[in-house]
Amino acid sequence: MKITILTIFPNLFDSLLKNTIIQRAISNNLVSINIVNIRDYTKDKYKRVDTPPIGGGSGLIMKCQPIVDAIRSNSNENTHKILLSPKGRTFNQVLAQNYSKMNDLLIVCGNYEGIDERVDNYVDELVSIGDYIITGGELASMIIANSVIRLLPHAINNESIIDESFENNLLEYPQYTEPFDFEGFKVPEVLKCGNHEVINRYRYKMSLKYTKKYRPDLFNKLSLTKQDIDLLNEDDISENELKAINKNKIK
């Protein structure tokens, strides 16, 4: 996979390229990342890529010409071109999965007060990472690139991806590690029973409950089965699970 990011601040991407998972993906030829300086394409003798808005207003607007020329020079008919914009669809796990199946992805980072509206005509899609304002598109592009790269086959352990939050509109179940008792907060006994079928059932139940409690917007998208409803109505540790614990408990 090839990911190209158009920016006026290429040095900001040093941390992205030094990320362990991304470095490994690059070394294993799973992905190549091309950071392109938009300023290299401006025809302005002072290398400016921005001017005041026509009609007046605060701030500066990034000009069409350098961005469009950068897009044309770093893409082809098979490149999926993304412009980061507050008008765009909100980035989520489904989009990340879709992008991870593409061979060629280009992301345009905006800055200052905004980008000339006409640039929209030269990309395939507008994308936003959420309803808030940050100083530029660079951080947003890193989030998207990181999210996509880790989904590439062999970039990380495949089992880590299967059980993650937002898969199938569910939050991930709660996770614990040693010690079993920390200042009175204890690891659920069911996780120590040694019965993986019981543990998986418990974890799925907690995913349902966590999603309902913390992300009702996601929960409302679920098509619940009768078994799901029964699990939601159970206590955190059901009678059957307690029986399994008592029968299989690890000493």
Side-chain angles (χ1 to χ4, degrees), residues 13-218:
F13 291 87
D14 290 346
S15 60
L16 173 71
L17 299 177
K18 291 178 182 177
N19 176 279
T20 302
I21 291 175
I22 293 176
Q23 275 188 332
R24 186 166 61 241
I26 294 172
S27 297
N28 293 334
N29 296 318
L30 302 178
V31 64
S32 65
I33 301 178
N34 185 27
I35 308 300
V36 175
N37 192 339
I38 296 172
R39 292 187 189 277
D40 292 341
Y41 294 88
T42 182
K43 295 179 180 179
D44 184 281
K45 65 179 180 180
Y46 299 110
K47 292 294 184 180
R48 291 191 62 180
V49 295
D50 56 281
T51 55
I54 295 174
S58 61
L60 298 168
I61 304 299
M62 293 184 70
K63 298 190 288 186
C64 284
Q65 177 272 313
I67 296 175
V68 172
D69 283 356
I71 291 172
R72 285 174 171 161
S73 297
N74 293 277
S75 64
N76 55 54
E77 60 182 11
N78 297 317
T79 304
H80 187 74
K81 299 175 284 292
I82 297 170
L83 173 62
L84 296 170
S85 168
K87 303 193 299 288
R89 62 191 297 195
T90 303
F91 183 71
N92 57 26
Q93 190 69 5
V94 173
L95 271 183
Q97 290 168 340
N98 290 341
Y99 296 159
S100 71
K101 298 171 185 175
M102 297 177 177
N103 293 322
D104 196 350
L105 189 66
L106 181 144
I107 306 172
V108 181
C109 303
N111 271 279
Y112 307 125
E113 188 64 23
I115 293 178
D116 190 303
E117 185 76 10
R118 292 166 292 185
V119 173
D120 293 7
N121 298 297
Y122 298 88
V123 297
D124 300 305
E125 187 175 17
L126 307 182
V127 175
S128 167
I129 61 166
D131 296 338
Y132 49 88
I133 304 300
I134 54 179
T135 54
E138 283 72 22
L139 288 175
S141 70
M142 292 184 211
I143 288 171
I144 292 174
N146 186 294
S147 180
V148 170
I149 292 170
R150 63 189 306 282
L151 290 174
L152 297 176
H154 311 300
I156 62 174
N157 187 303
N158 288 339
E159 291 183 359
S160 298
I161 296 174
I162 293 172
D163 289 333
E164 288 182 324
S165 291
F166 308 116
E167 296 295 332
N168 302 315
N169 286 321
L170 283 174
L171 294 183
E172 189 175 8
Y173 48 80
Q175 299 271 31
Y176 303 88
T177 188
E178 296 178 350
F180 293 134
D181 187 334
F182 179 75
E183 297 185 351
F185 296 101
K186 298 180 179 179
V187 174
E189 289 290 326
V190 65
L191 297 178
K192 299 185 284 180
C193 75
N195 187 321
H196 292 293
E197 183 178 349
V198 171
I199 290 173
N200 289 339
R201 181 180 184 277
Y202 170 78
R203 284 175 166 171
Y204 178 65
K205 176 173 63 178
M206 295 309 296
S207 285
L208 287 170
K209 291 194 171 191
Y210 268 40
T211 306
K212 183 179 182 180
K213 179 178 180 179
Y214 294 107
R215 290 296 303 272
D217 57 318
L218 293 177

